[in-house]
Amino acid sequence: MAARRDGLVLKDEHTTSTRGAGAAVVATDAILEHLGADFKIQGRDVFHGQTTVILRREDLHEFVKRLKDEHGFNFLVDVTCIDYLKHPKDHPERFAVVLHVGQMIGPLRLRIRAYIPEEDPQAPSVLDLYPAAGWLEREAHEMYGVVFEGNPDQRRLLTPDDYDGFPLRKDYPLKGRGYRDMFPKYFHIPEE
Amino acid sequence: MTPVDTKTSPVPAGRARAARDRGRARSPKRTIEMNLGPQHPAMHGTLRARLTIDGETIVKCDPDIGFLHTGFEKLGEYRNYNQVITVTDRMNYLSPICNNVGFAVAVEELVGIDVPPRGQYVRVIMAELTRIADHVLSVGLSAMDLGAFSVMLWGFIQRERLYDVFEAVTGARLTTSWTRVGGIFRDVPDDFRELVIESIKELPALLDEIELMLDRNKIWLDRTKGVGVISQSDAIGYGLTGPLLRASGIAYDVRRARPYLCYNDLDFEVVTETAGDVFARYKVRLNEMRQSYKIVHQALDKLPGGPVNVESNKVVLPTKNEVYTSMESLIHHFKLTMGGHGIKTPVNEIYSCTESPTGELGFYLVSDGSGVPYKVRIRPPALLAFQIYGDLVEGLLISDSVAVLSSFNVIAGEVDR
């Protein structure tokens, strides 16, 4: 804790927050040391007690499998992607897939991030490990255009089946791209 | 009399015809496809399931969602942190305050601030009242879907009383937009304690009466016990949280497992059941309301004085009086509301979860340091709950699928976002 001149009491970002106990960070570190022998961990970041691991996408599936089998990370919290197109920090690739995995009975949570190049937007699916991944990956697929290899169901989940474009990409405008142009099947626009 | 050759005769007679018809009923050619929803009254909002049925039995179920998709996550990337709060209560419209609290907690964790004790307690009281309002409606609707209409009406009376409290405290009944980053938009009214106690005075009697009405009701028991059983491994694998998970016997509650606000100081139990069926989910919700009742009374007794907001105008807007009389406050006001300024956040990311009535409501925030989030990812508990629905109802009767769905308490706004 450090009181600033303006009176705002901020927690130091390297100390743990009320949510993630300090012991959890130590335990996560031990797990990462153990797994780090077999995987090339690209980076690691601790922020307010939450650990982020950056992996190569080839390692992603095997890493999660080892976490699940050996360390009891049986709870897939979330799967999503990030588009770093307009992010102020430098990132090696435009996209990243982000997995949150945790222990259902147990305090540990881990965020796993793997960068995905724009020209080859593919990521390994974890559907065979967690059935929960099915719809989460479908949503990430339709919103960012990242293909999850190993997930047989890649239909659009929230947007209509014939929707064109990936709405959560940073170069997709907020107002959309013209509703009528997007569904030629339903809106016949006569040519001038 | 020569026997009828069933192989060659075009119209088989008697028992042979009956056997042929039975065979047809089982053959895949006799299955038909049927839409359940999106306008069906039992489909709770705008959910749709494409059913393949054989008679009354569901052979295959393919849930289809997205009819209420509003692009909240995209919108969140264009609104500042306090404006996103107004988006969150349109998401789960049955428990808006829990969503407001969840998002505010997420941003506070990102910035690294703690709300003063009074703010935490008030938030907890309101969140628990919302949980009661949500559960009482959920139990009522699932009873209504199975024919016990009065439970729903009783529930609505209780819900109205609670909504009167929300109106007095937040100024709105449904879209409350109550919290702000660093606190709440104003302190609760002076008669808050009396208001709350009065509103839930009859809750224990209501819950007992619902139990009396349903727990020995033959129809209710037949239609809920052993229907839609979720095993423990399925519940974990599919990422279920909230009452669904606890009904399968796993005592995971974010309020206990990853405590936020002042839940550590409050004494309550994590309610579990073991059967994992529709009846167990109903029981879990009923008992959770009793725990929430307990929490509300405890929190009211412990409610400390003092400010509800963080005492820093870098995060919380100064009062109007200060803005008009002091230059510094005027500058703070502009800095917080002008585009390109706003709350200063570290360039980092955080996942924060709270226990909403449907389960673990998570917000994954990626910040680029400006006052507008770079990415807002919402982890909707109802989406993951509805994912298992298709697998669960296969082999059940159509009428049972309605019972299963209403026990899930799936909110279309939260599923589609």
Side-chain angles (χ1 to χ4, degrees):
Chain A
M1 295 268 199
R4 295 195 324 196
R5 257 180 56 218
D6 51 38
L8 185 60
V9 180
L10 286 179
K11 286 178 208 144
D12 186 1
E13 66 178 69
H14 299 296
T15 60
T16 53
S17 74
T18 46
R19 302 295 287 284
V25 177
V26 176
T28 316
D29 278 352
I31 289 174
L32 292 181
E33 289 303 323
H34 176 233
L35 289 175
D38 299 335
F39 298 96
K40 200 161 175 289
I41 292 177
Q42 309 264 305
R44 193 195 299 182
D45 180 30
V46 179
F47 177 67
H48 286 330
Q50 299 187 357
T51 308
T52 310
V53 185
I54 303 170
L55 291 173
R56 296 181 306 173
R57 65 172 162 170
E58 302 89 80
D59 294 341
L60 191 66
H61 184 274
E62 188 59 27
F63 187 84
V64 177
K65 189 172 186 318
R66 291 274 300 274
L67 269 182
K68 188 188 175 202
D69 294 344
E70 295 169 19
H71 300 285
F73 280 68
N74 52 359
F75 178 30
L76 179 70
V77 184
D78 197 15
V79 178
T80 187
C81 292
I82 305 180
D83 181 0
Y84 283 117
L85 186 66
K86 294 176 181 170
H87 200 263
K89 272 190 186 172
D90 268 348
H91 291 275
E93 303 288 352
R94 180 175 167 186
F95 294 109
V97 60
V98 180
L99 266 68
H100 289 87
V101 289
Q103 299 168 326
M104 188 67 93
I105 307 297
L108 301 188
R109 287 268 169 102
L110 192 59
R111 184 183 306 127
I112 303 165
R113 190 163 76 209
Y115 287 104
I116 300 167
E118 186 180 356
E119 54 275 10
D120 176 32
Q122 287 187 347
S125 166
V126 291
L127 182 62
D128 54 333
L129 305 173
Y130 308 100
W135 281 13
L136 295 172
E137 287 177 356
R138 266 176 79 180
E139 193 188 337
H141 166 68
E142 73 173 338
M143 294 298 176
Y144 289 93
V146 173
V147 179
F148 286 87
E149 275 177 283
N151 188 341
D153 190 356
Q154 300 266 338
R155 291 174 294 160
R156 284 186 170 265
L157 183 69
L158 299 177
T159 47
D161 292 340
D162 48 356
Y163 194 85
D164 191 22
F166 305 110
L168 279 182
R169 284 190 176 185
K170 283 286 174 183
D171 51 4
Y172 193 92
L174 176 66
K175 64 176 181 180
R177 283 207 173 125
Y179 181 68
R180 282 162 191 263
D181 307 334
M182 212 169 278
F183 304 103
K185 200 168 126 190
Y186 305 115
F187 296 102
H188 175 65
I189 301 159
E191 302 212 354
E192 300 266 320
Chain B
M1 190 183 160
T2 51
V4 179
D5 184 356
T6 52
K7 277 177 191 156
T8 53
S9 166
V11 184
R15 199 177 290 171
R17 190 192 312 183
R20 189 203 66 180
D21 287 353
R22 274 205 304 280
R24 257 195 202 167
R26 283 199 209 93
S27 80
K29 281 178 192 162
R30 285 296 291 269
T31 59
I32 56 170
E33 289 214 355
M34 192 186 92
N35 269 323
L36 192 61
Q39 301 98 334
H40 194 280
M43 288 306 277
H44 293 243
T46 55
L47 306 171
R48 174 191 177 215
R50 195 186 299 133
L51 304 179
T52 308
I53 51 171
D54 178 0
E56 276 278 298
T57 313
I58 297 168
V59 180
K60 193 172 170 300
C61 171
D62 181 20
D64 182 14
I65 59 172
F67 291 92
L68 214 57
H69 179 58
T70 330
F72 288 158
E73 288 179 13
K74 184 79 177 171
L75 195 60
E77 296 172 5
Y78 290 82
R79 298 281 179 266
N80 71 35
Y81 285 99
N82 274 326
Q83 286 171 332
V84 178
I85 287 173
T86 60
V87 174
T88 58
D89 52 27
R90 272 110 182 130
M91 201 169 67
N92 188 341
Y93 30 75
L94 291 187
S95 47
I97 292 178
C98 286
N99 291 21
N100 293 164
V101 170
F103 186 77
V105 167
V107 183
E108 282 150 18
E109 269 183 43
L110 177 70
V111 181
I113 44 176
D114 275 332
V115 179
R118 184 175 172 85
Q120 297 188 12
Y121 273 89
V122 170
R123 278 182 180 185
V124 163
I125 293 168
M126 291 298 280
E128 293 304 319
L129 290 180
T130 314
R131 194 182 315 280
I132 295 173
D134 185 282
H135 280 353
V136 86
L137 188 75
S138 164
V139 167
L141 288 182
S142 69
M144 187 189 74
D145 283 345
L146 299 186
F149 203 84
S150 28
V151 177
M152 190 275 273
L153 293 175
W154 296 344
F156 253 88
I157 295 171
Q158 176 59 48
R159 187 166 172 262
E160 278 303 305
R161 291 193 191 117
L162 291 168
Y163 271 52
D164 288 344
V165 178
F166 299 162
E167 198 178 357
V169 175
T170 72
R173 292 167 69 81
L174 198 67
T175 50
T176 51
S177 307
W178 179 56
T179 58
R180 297 288 180 273
V181 177
I184 48 186
F185 86 102
R186 68 164 183 225
D187 204 347
V188 291
D190 293 337
D191 57 345
F192 180 63
R193 189 190 159 87
E194 291 75 41
L195 266 177
V196 172
I197 288 180
E198 181 65 26
S199 73
I200 54 172
K201 193 178 63 185
E202 286 168 31
L203 181 75
L206 169 75
L207 298 178
D208 290 345
E209 198 151 9
I210 291 177
E211 265 190 340
L212 205 65
M213 173 114 166
L214 294 179
D215 277 16
R216 292 177 59 212
N217 185 326
K218 187 87 171 71
I219 302 171
W220 173 258
L221 293 178
D222 281 354
R223 299 232 18 214
T224 56
K225 282 215 163 173
V227 174
V229 179
I230 304 176
S231 68
Q232 284 202 358
S233 58
D234 270 357
I236 297 176
Y238 275 92
L240 302 186
T241 43
L244 272 70
L245 180 73
R246 293 193 282 274
S248 292
I250 299 160
Y252 174 76
D253 188 322
V254 183
R255 292 175 292 174
R256 270 274 173 270
R258 315 179 72 74
Y260 54 99
L261 297 178
C262 60
Y263 279 109
N264 252 345
D265 306 337
L266 299 167
D267 172 40
F268 66 98
E269 285 166 28
V270 177
V271 179
T272 52
E273 289 280 328
T274 48
D277 55 4
V278 176
F279 187 78
R281 281 167 227 146
Y282 145 77
K283 272 300 214 195
V284 165
R285 290 214 174 86
L286 217 56
N287 288 329
E288 253 176 38
M289 280 189 267
R290 294 196 170 104
Q291 297 298 326
S292 293
Y293 178 82
K294 206 167 120 186
I295 295 175
V296 169
H297 274 272
Q298 273 178 55
L300 278 174
D301 290 341
K302 287 185 178 177
L303 185 64
V308 287
N309 286 341
V310 176
E311 290 196 41
S312 162
N313 290 340
K314 298 279 179 191
V315 175
V316 180
L317 281 176
T319 62
K320 267 280 175 274
N321 193 24
E322 283 169 355
V323 172
Y324 289 140
T325 51
S326 110
M327 192 165 123
E328 199 189 355
S329 298
L330 185 68
I331 294 170
H332 279 311
H333 183 97
F334 271 115
K335 285 286 252 182
L336 276 178
T337 47
M338 267 193 304
H341 295 268
I343 300 163
K344 281 237 167 8
T345 49
V347 187
N348 219 314
E349 50 191 24
I350 201 143
Y351 174 83
S352 162
C353 51
T354 52
E355 181 79 17
S356 105
T358 35
E360 175 178 330
L361 176 74
F363 288 96
Y364 172 47
L365 299 175
V366 180
S367 160
D368 58 357
S370 70
V372 177
Y374 186 76
K375 176 184 167 65
V376 182
R377 161 72 186 165
I378 303 154
R379 180 206 186 265
L383 177 87
L384 289 132
F386 198 45
Q387 184 172 200
I388 198 177
Y389 177 73
D391 294 342
L392 200 62
V393 299
E394 274 170 26
L396 296 183
L397 299 177
I398 296 174
S399 50
D400 284 342
S401 79
V402 173
V404 172
L405 182 69
S406 58
S407 78
F408 273 21
N409 189 21
V410 174
I411 315 292
E414 193 180 282
V415 172
D416 299 344
R417 300 186 306 293

